[in-house]
Amino acid sequence: MIIDCHGHYTTEPKDLHRFRKEQTEAANAKDKSRMPARAQLKMSDDEIRESIEQNQLKLQKDRGTDLTIFSPRASGMGHHIGDESVSIEWSQICNDLIARVVSLYPKNFIGVCQLPQSPGVDPKGVVAELERCVKMGFVGCNLNPDPSGGYFNSPPMTDKSWFPVYEKMIELDCPCMIHVSGCCNPAMHTTGSYYLNADTAVFMQVILSDLFKQFPKLKFIIPHGGGAVPFHWGRFRGIALNNGKPELAEIMGNNIFFDTCVYHQPGIDLLTKVVPVDNILFASEMVGAVKGNDPRTGFGFDDTKRYVDKAALSDADKAKIFEGNAYKVYGRLKAQIAKQAA
């Protein structure tokens, strides 16, 4: 089985966007009476089927992948919009939509949830939604290190304020993907710089901490190939050693994992050469940050399976990236696959 650990529902029915537009306008106006009612949101199963079958499901079949670990649109989480109540409402709506996709295509998708984070709000407030989603069969969550939307004014992810979330993740055997949302800082492009900046920043925070000594079962997936880390491996390794920390591979251990959302062959070659294969998960982020075909190859930029297939790796190592490592990271995954297959 080839498991894609990083897929977002970016082709949602139109009425979801109508609802979010109205919700955002009401939140910005601070006029609670203008908030749209969830009951007015209309998305039929047929609309969901059309949105999936012409996009993610078609690409699965065309590219030879089997299962996508699927979450709401990352850039749409919008934790900086409105207050905590707005974030809770929006997160529940988006997570319920993922659950509907999974119910329609149980052999192709397994859920991961967004969390109702909000700037300046204690992170432990997300625990209830995490518990709710795990009960629905979700196997992981997306955790935003910067709910401000690009201004990085939250405590680092090594801060004690995050610890109740980590404790619950461990209790539920639920890893998190480190994933920011849309950027409202005009100095940064959402997918081109903000995502990668956040990936790199969290890795830097963690390698100079003792977070995984305190939480040895905590698992972070840092997406987009680990941001700048593989290219600057020597820099990060030197900083860690200069600060009395172990080798990066030892720090990563069974706690930090990168995905293969790197959209060219040299990038995958570098990733698999410098990062331990045991710490790499297959992913494409389709349909996501980079759409369309590479004119040099004629294939999709996000057709990442092709890059892994061509990497100088043994069959055993490719099997780890495509499947084995996902089972190691997502402790609930194998049982959930079996449950959905039944």
Side-chain angles (χ1 to χ4, degrees), residues 19-59:
F19 179 93
R20 182 57 165 171
K21 182 175 183 291
E22 293 180 8
Q23 186 188 49
T24 299
E25 289 173 351
N28 289 338
K30 297 182 172 56
D31 182 356
K32 296 290 185 181
S33 67
R34 292 175 53 190
M35 282 289 172
R38 192 188 304 195
Q40 297 173 343
L41 185 56
K42 305 298 181 184
M43 296 178 289
S44 69
D45 284 353
D46 284 343
E47 287 179 294
I48 294 172
R49 288 189 184 98
E50 182 179 2
S51 73
I52 291 290
E53 290 177 6
Q54 299 303 313
N55 295 286
Q56 291 86 354
L57 196 62
K58 181 180 185 298
L59 290 173

Coordinates of all heavy atoms in Angstrom, one line a residue, residues 19-59:
F19 N -20.3 30.3 3.1 CA -20.5 30.3 4.6 C -19.3 31.0 5.2 O -19.4 31.9 6.1 CB -20.6 28.9 5.1 CG -20.8 28.9 6.6 CD1 -22.0 28.9 7.2 CD2 -19.6 28.8 7.4 CE1 -22.1 28.8 8.6 CE2 -19.8 28.8 8.8 CZ -21.0 28.8 9.4
R20 N -18.1 30.6 4.8 CA -16.9 31.2 5.4 C -16.8 32.7 5.1 O -16.3 33.4 6.0 CB -15.6 30.4 4.9 CG -14.3 30.9 5.5 CD -14.3 30.8 7.0 NE -12.9 30.9 7.6 CZ -12.7 31.0 8.9 NH1 -13.6 31.1 9.8 NH2 -11.4 31.1 9.3
K21 N -17.1 33.1 3.9 CA -17.1 34.5 3.6 C -18.0 35.3 4.5 O -17.6 36.3 5.1 CB -17.5 34.7 2.1 CG -17.4 36.1 1.6 CD -17.7 36.2 0.2 CE -17.6 37.6 -0.4 NZ -18.7 38.5 0.1
E22 N -19.2 34.8 4.7 CA -20.2 35.5 5.6 C -19.7 35.4 7.0 O -19.8 36.4 7.8 CB -21.5 34.8 5.5 CG -22.2 35.0 4.1 CD -23.5 34.4 4.0 OE1 -24.1 33.9 5.0 OE2 -24.1 34.4 2.9
Q23 N -19.1 34.3 7.5 CA -18.6 34.2 8.8 C -17.5 35.2 9.1 O -17.4 35.8 10.1 CB -18.2 32.8 9.1 CG -17.8 32.5 10.6 CD -17.1 31.1 10.8 OE1 -16.2 30.8 10.0 NE2 -17.6 30.4 11.7
T24 N -16.6 35.3 8.1 CA -15.4 36.2 8.2 C -15.9 37.6 8.3 O -15.4 38.4 9.1 CB -14.4 35.9 7.0 OG1 -14.0 34.6 7.1 CG2 -13.3 36.9 7.1
E25 N -16.8 38.0 7.4 CA -17.3 39.3 7.4 C -18.0 39.7 8.7 O -17.8 40.8 9.3 CB -18.3 39.5 6.3 CG -17.7 39.5 4.9 CD -18.7 39.5 3.8 OE1 -19.9 39.3 4.1 OE2 -18.3 39.7 2.6
A26 N -18.7 38.8 9.3 CA -19.3 39.0 10.6 C -18.3 39.1 11.7 O -18.4 39.9 12.6 CB -20.4 37.9 10.9
A27 N -17.3 38.3 11.6 CA -16.2 38.3 12.7 C -15.5 39.6 12.6 O -15.1 40.2 13.6 CB -15.3 37.1 12.5
N28 N -15.2 40.1 11.4 CA -14.4 41.3 11.3 C -15.3 42.5 11.7 O -14.7 43.5 12.2 CB -14.0 41.5 9.8 CG -12.9 40.5 9.4 OD1 -12.2 40.0 10.3 ND2 -12.7 40.3 8.1
A29 N -16.6 42.4 11.5 CA -17.5 43.5 11.9 C -17.8 43.4 13.4 O -18.4 44.3 14.0 CB -18.8 43.4 11.1
K30 N -17.4 42.3 14.0 CA -17.7 42.0 15.5 C -19.2 42.1 15.7 O -19.7 42.6 16.8 CB -16.9 43.0 16.4 CG -15.4 42.7 16.3 CD -14.7 43.7 17.2 CE -13.2 43.3 17.3 NZ -12.5 43.3 16.0
D31 N -20.0 41.7 14.8 CA -21.4 41.7 14.9 C -21.9 40.3 14.9 O -22.1 39.6 13.9 CB -22.1 42.5 13.7 CG -23.6 42.6 13.8 OD1 -24.1 42.0 14.8 OD2 -24.2 43.2 13.0
K32 N -22.1 39.7 16.1 CA -22.5 38.3 16.3 C -23.8 38.0 15.6 O -24.1 36.9 15.2 CB -22.5 38.0 17.7 CG -21.2 38.1 18.5 CD -20.3 37.0 18.0 CE -19.0 37.0 18.9 NZ -18.0 35.9 18.4
S33 N -24.7 39.0 15.5 CA -26.0 38.8 14.9 C -25.9 38.5 13.4 O -26.9 37.9 12.9 CB -26.9 40.0 15.1 OG -26.4 41.1 14.4
R34 N -24.8 38.8 12.8 CA -24.7 38.6 11.4 C -24.0 37.2 11.1 O -23.9 36.9 9.9 CB -23.8 39.7 10.7 CG -24.5 41.1 10.7 CD -23.5 42.1 10.2 NE -22.9 41.8 8.9 CZ -21.9 42.5 8.4 NH1 -21.4 43.5 9.0 NH2 -21.5 42.1 7.2
M35 N -23.7 36.5 12.1 CA -23.0 35.2 11.9 C -24.0 34.3 11.2 O -25.1 34.1 11.6 CB -22.6 34.6 13.3 CG -21.4 35.2 13.9 SD -19.9 34.7 13.0 CE -18.7 35.7 13.8
P36 N -23.5 33.6 10.1 CA -24.4 32.7 9.4 C -24.6 31.4 10.3 O -23.8 31.0 11.1 CB -23.6 32.3 8.2 CG -22.1 32.5 8.6 CD -22.2 33.7 9.5
A37 N -25.8 30.9 10.1 CA -26.2 29.7 10.9 C -25.6 28.4 10.2 O -25.7 28.3 9.0 CB -27.7 29.6 11.0
R38 N -25.1 27.5 11.0 CA -24.5 26.3 10.5 C -25.6 25.5 9.7 O -25.3 24.8 8.7 CB -23.9 25.5 11.6 CG -23.0 24.3 11.0 CD -22.6 23.3 12.1 NE -21.8 23.9 13.2 CZ -21.1 23.2 14.0 NH1 -21.0 21.9 13.9 NH2 -20.5 23.8 15.0
A39 N -26.8 25.6 10.2 CA -27.9 24.8 9.6 C -28.2 25.3 8.2 O -28.8 24.5 7.4 CB -29.2 25.0 10.4
Q40 N -27.8 26.5 7.8 CA -28.0 27.0 6.5 C -27.0 26.5 5.5 O -27.1 26.7 4.3 CB -28.0 28.5 6.5 CG -29.1 29.1 7.3 CD -28.9 30.6 7.4 OE1 -27.8 31.2 7.2 NE2 -30.0 31.3 7.8
L41 N -25.9 25.8 5.9 CA -24.9 25.3 5.1 C -25.3 24.0 4.4 O -25.7 23.1 5.0 CB -23.6 25.0 5.9 CG -22.3 24.6 5.3 CD1 -21.9 25.6 4.3 CD2 -21.2 24.4 6.3
K42 N -25.4 24.1 3.0 CA -25.9 23.0 2.2 C -24.8 22.4 1.4 O -24.3 23.0 0.4 CB -27.1 23.5 1.4 CG -28.2 24.2 2.2 CD -28.8 23.2 3.2 CE -30.0 23.9 3.9 NZ -30.6 23.0 4.9
M43 N -24.4 21.2 1.6 CA -23.4 20.4 0.8 C -23.9 19.0 0.7 O -23.9 18.2 1.6 CB -22.1 20.5 1.5 CG -21.5 21.9 1.6 SD -19.8 21.9 2.4 CE -20.3 21.5 4.1
S44 N -24.4 18.7 -0.5 CA -24.9 17.3 -0.7 C -23.8 16.3 -0.9 O -22.7 16.6 -1.3 CB -25.8 17.3 -1.9 OG -25.1 17.5 -3.1
D45 N -24.2 15.0 -0.7 CA -23.2 14.0 -0.9 C -22.8 14.0 -2.4 O -21.6 13.7 -2.7 CB -23.8 12.6 -0.6 CG -23.8 12.4 0.9 OD1 -23.3 13.2 1.7 OD2 -24.4 11.4 1.4
D46 N -23.7 14.3 -3.3 CA -23.3 14.3 -4.7 C -22.3 15.4 -5.0 O -21.4 15.2 -5.8 CB -24.6 14.5 -5.6 CG -25.4 13.3 -5.7 OD1 -24.9 12.2 -5.4 OD2 -26.6 13.4 -6.0
E47 N -22.4 16.5 -4.4 CA -21.4 17.6 -4.6 C -20.1 17.2 -4.0 O -19.0 17.5 -4.7 CB -21.9 18.9 -3.8 CG -23.0 19.6 -4.5 CD -23.5 20.8 -3.7 OE1 -24.0 20.7 -2.5 OE2 -23.3 21.9 -4.2
I48 N -20.1 16.5 -2.9 CA -18.8 16.0 -2.4 C -18.2 15.0 -3.3 O -17.0 15.0 -3.6 CB -19.0 15.4 -1.0 CG1 -19.4 16.6 0.0 CG2 -17.8 14.7 -0.5 CD1 -19.9 16.1 1.4
R49 N -19.0 14.1 -3.8 CA -18.5 13.0 -4.7 C -17.9 13.7 -5.9 O -16.8 13.3 -6.4 CB -19.6 12.1 -5.1 CG -20.1 11.1 -4.0 CD -21.0 10.1 -4.6 NE -21.6 9.2 -3.5 CZ -22.7 9.4 -3.0 NH1 -23.5 10.4 -3.3 NH2 -23.2 8.6 -2.0
E50 N -18.6 14.6 -6.5 CA -18.0 15.3 -7.7 C -16.7 16.0 -7.4 O -15.8 15.9 -8.2 CB -19.1 16.3 -8.3 CG -18.6 17.0 -9.5 CD -19.6 18.0 -10.1 OE1 -20.7 18.2 -9.4 OE2 -19.4 18.6 -11.1
S51 N -16.6 16.6 -6.3 CA -15.4 17.4 -6.0 C -14.2 16.5 -5.7 O -13.1 16.8 -6.0 CB -15.7 18.2 -4.7 OG -15.7 17.4 -3.5
I52 N -14.5 15.3 -5.2 CA -13.4 14.3 -4.9 C -13.1 13.5 -6.1 O -11.9 13.3 -6.5 CB -13.8 13.4 -3.7 CG1 -13.9 14.2 -2.4 CG2 -12.9 12.2 -3.6 CD1 -12.5 14.7 -1.9
E53 N -14.1 13.0 -6.8 CA -13.8 12.0 -7.9 C -13.1 12.7 -9.1 O -12.4 12.0 -9.8 CB -15.1 11.4 -8.4 CG -15.7 10.4 -7.3 CD -17.0 9.8 -7.7 OE1 -17.5 10.1 -8.8 OE2 -17.6 9.1 -6.8
Q54 N -13.3 14.0 -9.3 CA -12.6 14.7 -10.4 C -11.3 15.2 -10.0 O -10.6 15.8 -10.9 CB -13.5 15.8 -10.9 CG -14.9 15.3 -11.5 CD -14.7 14.3 -12.6 OE1 -14.0 14.5 -13.5 NE2 -15.5 13.2 -12.5
N55 N -10.9 15.0 -8.8 CA -9.7 15.6 -8.3 C -8.8 14.6 -7.5 O -8.1 13.9 -8.1 CB -10.0 16.9 -7.4 CG -10.7 18.0 -8.2 OD1 -10.0 18.7 -9.0 ND2 -12.0 18.2 -8.1
Q56 N -9.0 14.6 -6.2 CA -8.1 13.7 -5.4 C -8.2 12.2 -5.8 O -7.1 11.6 -5.9 CB -8.3 13.9 -3.9 CG -7.9 15.3 -3.4 CD -9.0 16.3 -3.5 OE1 -10.1 16.1 -4.2 NE2 -8.8 17.5 -2.9
L57 N -9.4 11.7 -6.0 CA -9.5 10.3 -6.3 C -9.0 10.0 -7.7 O -8.3 9.0 -7.9 CB -11.0 9.9 -6.2 CG -11.3 8.4 -6.1 CD1 -10.7 7.8 -4.9 CD2 -12.8 8.2 -6.2
K58 N -9.2 10.9 -8.6 CA -8.7 10.7 -10.0 C -7.1 10.6 -9.9 O -6.5 9.8 -10.6 CB -9.1 11.8 -10.9 CG -8.6 11.7 -12.3 CD -9.1 12.8 -13.2 CE -8.8 12.6 -14.6 NZ -7.3 12.6 -14.8
L59 N -6.5 11.6 -9.1 CA -5.1 11.6 -9.1 C -4.5 10.4 -8.3 O -3.4 9.9 -8.7 CB -4.6 12.9 -8.4 CG -4.8 14.2 -9.2 CD1 -4.5 15.4 -8.4 CD2 -4.0 14.1 -10.5

